[in-house]
Amino acid sequence: MGRPRAVDEIERTGRAVSTRNLRIIMNGVTGRLGTNQHLVRSLLAIRREGGVRCQGGVVLMPEPVLLGRNPDKLKQLSVAHGGLEWSTDSEACLADARNEIYFDVSATVGRRERALAAIAAGKHVYLEKPIAGDRDEALAIARGAQAAGVRNGVVQDKIYLPGLQKLRKVIESGALGRMLTVRLDFGWWIFDGALHPSQRSSWNYKRAEGGGLVLDMFPHWRYIVETLFGTMTSVSCRMATRIPRRIDERGEPYDVDVEDEAFATVELDGGVTVQIASSWVTRVRREDMLTIQVDGTDGSAYATLHRCFLQPLAATPRPRWDVDVFQDNDHLAKWQEVPSMDPYLNSYRMGWELFLRHVQDGSPFPSPLISGARALQLVDACYRSHAERRWVDLPELSS
Ligand SMILES: NC(=O)c1ccc[n+]([C@@H]2O[C@H](COP(=O)([O-])OP(=O)(O)OC[C@H]3O[C@@H](n4cnc5c(N)ncnc54)[C@H](O)[C@@H]3O)[C@@H](O)[C@H]2O)c1
């Protein structure tokens, strides 16, 4: 365990620091993502390393309050981490003025109601994606938070992954020239529960419970594409349900009523075209579960979750097209790897540190809830494009 950052701060600046405890209601924390990423690798890691340093020498120390439905699971999680406070009573948690932030990582269904209740109770709100079931619900939350004057944000973790950060640097360096097209390829095989247990909870495959691949993944595609390549203006999408029946956590079969595969083409304001393939029914035969290739006039770049490769114009090979003779060509070897320059920090934790500083100092936060509503606008547009077999425009949204 490293020394508390607060001690380092005193030694570095000679200035005393004050520690401020900040209680955070974590609803849904016993779930897969809530426990591993948000609790253990984000807030508990921040605590272990001495808090988040803010302006004026203030060190913020997050204090998680575990909220959920199952007392046994909550108790177990609490004990595993030194006796954290826990509750199954969300009204009491919201009524407690000591709790300043409401964070929601529960299953997607019902997030709108939970978020609006937290806003009405005057809490700052930080929400997992998707922030609601559709664009109008999402806008109601974003506008509600703004009207109440509470700090607000949506988790947009993927942009902090090392591969995407490196890609961002490559683009900012100008090495690609004018960007032309982007190809984003995402997916892996999710077992149906017969041969092996499914890697995703059954609610992911039920419309009424907030399931669906487009609702799950396209919120990510919106902020990734817009941060790196340009503003989305129009989308065309086709989707399918390839595995219509699955086995749930109790071993019971159920019907799937959502898509498990989607292919979209997106136009950006600068003229770039983006192709997006997303699937829970594909086996990985590429470098990673998410890969992004961008081709530009002066070079191309290819990012995986952790790595990024570059092929500049001057080093672009001229492969021989001859279908009659096998070409023993190692195309991958002709790319240069972008080195790792910055230490890796968990991508969810990066979001938390920014959000905590936003709450304390009012410093800018890159993903307020209105950008969560823009994500739902894309999701709605994909469903409409599929149903009506046409392109759907994405007009500017504001809170
Ligand atoms: N940022 C990301 O990349 C990312 C990744 C995974 C999940 N998520 C989001 O996090 C949320 C939770 O996902 P997860 O994978 O941890 O799910 P999970 O099924 O593992 O956990 C769901 C949690 O919600 C609780 N819950 C409350 N109401 C429920 C209901 N009606 N049905 C089922 N569970 C209910 C469960 O008790 C559990 O604590 C989802 O909104 C999902 O979209 C985001």
Side-chain angles (χ1 to χ4, degrees):
M1 194 171 90
R3 286 180 348 143
R5 282 189 206 166
V7 176
D8 289 341
E9 170 78 5
I10 294 169
E11 283 185 4
R12 196 173 60 78
T13 63
R15 195 168 45 144
V17 294
S18 63
T19 298
R20 179 172 168 237
N21 294 328
L22 189 64
R23 288 166 59 100
I24 302 168
I25 304 168
M26 300 187 77
N27 194 2
V29 66
T30 58
R32 184 177 61 108
L33 190 75
T35 296
N36 297 332
Q37 298 293 0
H38 291 290
L39 182 66
V40 175
R41 293 180 203 153
S42 296
L43 295 186
L44 294 184
I46 289 172
R47 281 179 67 83
R48 217 173 30 245
E49 290 168 29
V52 173
R53 191 149 38 87
C54 297
Q55 288 169 13
V58 174
V59 170
L60 270 193
M61 192 62 75
E63 278 193 24
V65 177
L66 316 181
L67 175 64
R69 301 174 302 172
N70 183 328
D72 294 334
K73 280 194 190 169
L74 288 162
K75 212 179 296 174
Q76 209 177 356
L77 189 60
S78 158
V79 169
H81 298 289
L84 299 170
E85 205 170 311
W86 63 270
S87 172
T88 54
D89 186 342
S90 87
E91 274 182 30
C93 283
L94 290 181
D96 187 336
R98 295 173 307 156
N99 299 332
E100 293 181 58
I101 296 179
Y102 173 82
F103 172 61
D104 195 294
V105 63
S106 196
T108 302
V109 70
R111 182 163 290 140
R112 169 181 171 271
E113 293 73 16
R114 298 190 298 268
L116 289 175
I119 291 166
K123 309 300 176 197
H124 304 301
V125 282
Y126 190 36
L127 305 178
E128 253 302 344
K129 48 56 53 182
I131 65 168
D134 63 32
R135 188 202 70 157
D136 291 347
E137 284 187 358
L139 268 179
I141 301 173
R143 288 176 178 156
Q146 193 174 22
V150 296
R151 307 264 196 236
N152 61 87
V154 54
V155 175
Q156 293 189 344
D157 52 291
K158 302 290 175 277
I159 202 67
Y160 303 119
L161 286 168
L164 275 66
Q165 290 286 310
K166 290 172 191 171
L167 176 57
R168 193 173 183 172
K169 290 272 188 214
V170 168
I171 294 167
E172 284 170 3
S173 77
L176 305 185
R178 183 166 56 85
M179 290 192 284
L180 307 171
T181 52
V182 175
R183 199 167 64 239
L184 187 157
D185 203 343
F186 161 83
W188 63 93
W189 188 262
I190 307 291
F191 290 103
D192 66 2
L195 184 64
H196 296 293
S198 175
Q199 308 95 303
R200 303 190 74 90
S201 306
S202 54
W203 64 261
N204 284 280
Y205 288 90
K206 298 176 184 175
R207 176 81 56 216
E209 295 183 27
L213 173 66
V214 169
L215 183 57
D216 190 55
M217 292 314 298
F218 278 62
H220 290 302
W221 306 155
R222 179 128 206 194
Y223 70 79
I224 288 175
V225 166
E226 294 201 337
T227 304
L228 295 173
F229 310 117
T231 304
M232 292 186 173
T233 54
S234 200
V235 64
S236 158
C237 185
R238 295 299 297 161
M239 56 189 86
T241 305
R242 298 293 179 194
I243 310 280
R245 213 162 151 73
R246 306 177 61 88
I247 316 270
D248 71 13
E249 295 79 2
R250 292 161 304 140
E252 303 289 336
Y254 66 96
D255 291 328
V256 174
D257 64 354
V258 295
E259 69 289 347
D260 52 17
E261 176 187 85
F263 297 101
T265 309
V266 182
E267 288 178 343
L268 307 188
D269 60 353
V272 173
T273 305
V274 186
Q275 260 178 283
I276 301 176
S278 310
S279 175
W280 287 335
V281 286
T282 185
R283 297 182 176 86
V284 183
R285 184 74 172 88
R286 52 190 192 280
E287 282 192 47
D288 211 334
M289 292 146 99
L290 170 65
T291 61
I292 302 174
Q293 176 163 341
V294 49
D295 295 306
T297 50
D298 294 350
S300 294
Y302 176 87
T304 70
L305 297 176
H306 284 258
R307 303 174 75 185
C308 185
F309 300 85
L310 176 66
Q311 188 172 88
L313 174 64
T316 302
R318 194 202 298 251
R320 198 169 114 99
W321 175 260
D322 182 348
V323 293
D324 294 319
V325 182
F326 170 65
Q327 305 292 316
D328 190 10
N329 229 333
D330 187 356
H331 297 291
L332 302 189
K334 291 166 188 152
W335 291 68
Q336 187 182 358
E337 181 155 12
V338 178
S340 299
M341 308 290 259
D342 305 311
Y344 171 64
L345 197 63
N346 177 282
S347 55
Y348 293 86
R349 176 173 169 178
M350 287 187 74
W352 269 109
E353 294 202 0
L354 287 170
F355 189 70
L356 293 175
R357 287 199 184 94
H358 177 58
V359 166
Q360 172 66 18
D361 299 333
S363 51
F365 185 67
S367 53
L369 286 179
I370 187 64
S371 74
R374 290 167 57 74
L376 269 305
Q377 179 195 38
L378 174 65
V379 170
D380 283 9
C382 287
Y383 287 129
R384 186 137 48 93
S385 165
H386 174 78
E388 299 173 12
R389 300 180 71 84
R390 67 174 181 88
W391 282 85
V392 175
D393 289 340
L394 299 161
E396 188 49 45
L397 270 192
S398 71
S399 57

